Amino acid sequence: MAFVITSPCKDEKAGECVEVCPVDCIEEGKDMFYIDPDICIDCGACEAVCPVEAIYHEDEVPAEETEYIELNRRFFQE
C-alpha cells in the first residue's frame, strides 16, 4: 500500500509534500502531484504537511476519491 494524492491537490500544487518526502517518490504532473506507489515507504510525512488535506493512505481514500488511486498508478506507467 502507498499514500495517494486526491482532488484537493488538483490545480493547487502547494508542494510541501515534495519537500518532506525522504525517498523522493512524489512527482509533479500537469495539474497536481502524484505519489509513486512502488517507491513510497508509507512514512506519512507527506500526509502530515499537506495544507489542503489531499493525501490519504490508499486504504483510507474516501469513496468519492477512489478514482485517484488509479490515476496515481497510471501516472507512473506512462
Side-chain angles (χ1 to χ4, degrees):
M1 294 290 172
F3 280 83
V4 176
I5 299 176
T6 60
S7 66
C9 182
K10 198 166 178 118
D11 298 320
E12 169 64 34
K13 297 199 304 187
E16 286 91 333
C17 56
V18 177
E19 296 170 18
V20 301
C21 181
V23 293
D24 296 324
C25 70
I26 303 173
E27 292 187 23
E28 186 172 356
K30 180 181 175 188
D31 55 2
M32 64 181 282
F33 287 103
Y34 297 90
I35 297 175
D36 189 329
D38 294 329
I39 299 174
C40 178
I41 59 170
D42 295 332
C43 71
C46 58
E47 181 183 34
V49 299
C50 181
V52 294
E53 299 180 358
I55 303 174
Y56 295 90
H57 197 270
E58 185 174 346
D59 56 6
E60 296 175 358
V61 172
E64 66 273 9
E65 299 282 332
T66 56
E67 69 184 280
Y68 285 88
I69 296 171
E70 184 57 31
L71 286 174
N72 273 264
R73 278 201 179 97
R74 205 170 333 140
F75 179 82
F76 292 98
Q77 292 174 349
E78 296 176 354

